[in-house]
Amino acid sequence: MPPRSESLTARQAEILDFIRQTVEAEGRPPTRLELCAAFGFRSPNAAESHLRALAAKGAILLEEGRARGIRLAEGPGLPLVGRVAAGSPILASEHVESRLQLDPTLFSPRADYLLRVRGMSMRDAGILDGDLIAVHRQSEVRNGQIVVARVHDDVTVKTFRRSGPVVELLPANPDFEPIVVDTRAEPLDIEGIMVGLIRQDGH
Amino acid sequence: MPPRSESLTARQAEILDFIRQTVEAEGRPPTRLELCAAFGFRSPNAAESHLRALAAKGAILLEEGRARGIRLAEGPGLPLVGRVAAGSPILASEHVESRLQLDPTLFSPRADYLLRVRGMSMRDAGILDGDLIAVHRQSEVRNGQIVVARVHDDVTVKTFRRSGPVVELLPANPDFEPIVVDTRAEPLDIEGIMVGLIRQDGH
DNA sequence: CGAGAGACTGTTTAAACTTACAGCACAACA
DNA sequence: TGTTGTGCTGTAAGTTTAAACAGTCTCTCG
């Protein structure tokens, strides 16, 4: 497995981000000189060595001797997460069913991944069984937002409501009961907020 | 308004298609020499003159003096249709609000365009006000499918049910009444079927 | 304190790339 | 019958890019 992007330095992450933006906006990666212009480098070698570092860490692929020979290692699509096993991080690669080619900035704030919804507990919010929820990773949420939460190693999608130390996770379907969590006694992890939805059939 | 892509020659359409595929697969446009290799040209000027022709017809934009300075004029995304004026075709360019960059094959059968839904008449089918419906153009439909129909110059999204010459367009919300159309007396155009849905916020 | 990693400056060279010029063959067309 | 548009070959600059080499400065870590 290639090294994770978490091991990138702050500067390297900036460079990688600029490359992503350029591909998005212009349909092609930047040259070394364009990187210099964007970051104020006076030497193309500053860009070159950053690219080498990113390639060594597996974030990009460099093609030798080609103009704009930078390829993003990670496909342009969003990871689609299916069932999440107990105790493991939601974006662990064994949970990623596939990648869907769509623009993360289709949603605002941007989507980090898609999560397949199981069951009808959010039916009245227009979220049906099998729908894909676009999720933005974020741990601080406001009341009324629809969140992806982990309670007792169970990942669930519900409306968030906090009253002091007690958090209620509300379904949008009278057939289901709210989940009540006392955060002084039980662990509650907020994985992110819902920023959109995709349904892949006509029902 | 730039000339339409319909005015491209067959060869020019092939070239344009190859450019699209290259951007898709490699994240950057091809060079003149790569076009030569792909089509068997022996002269880079063959590619050059095709590119000039495509640029003249508005299909691409050429940036002078830049390696891989080819930009696709039309984004690869799906057209998003907003409100549809009476009497004009649904994909008329004045209805296209924007283009969303997402893969048409995300849906099956493939989506031809996106239509913004107004109102809550399909609420219980999980289709809310402001949602974008992915539509596949198709005039023959089966009972139970959700269709985009045009009745009396009004474009609407409903569940389709036919009984002989009478078609019922059923809402999915008890607050709304079915639309009943006698096809012997009134015109009814089926614009397409719903093949998916996109919601761009977290509610 | 010394070593190494990260983040650069500055310079050079070869290869990749664009783009101009000068043609040829063929079909459509008026 | 000539003219125009399309689709090419072939060659040759001249510019853009990639990528090498040689350094500087500043952290952090053992």
Side-chain angles (χ1 to χ4, degrees), chain B residues 14-35:
Chain B
E14 276 186 77
I15 308 271
L16 183 58
D17 228 56
F18 177 78
I19 296 171
R20 280 216 191 90
Q21 281 172 35
T22 305
V23 171
E24 184 71 35
E26 303 181 7
R28 53 177 157 71
T31 64
R32 273 68 169 167
L33 282 175
E34 285 168 2
L35 279 164

Side-chain angles (χ1 to χ4, degrees), chain B residues 161-172:
Chain B
R161 189 162 70 196
R162 155 167 276 146
S163 319
V166 175
V167 169
E168 280 185 294
L169 298 173
L170 306 170

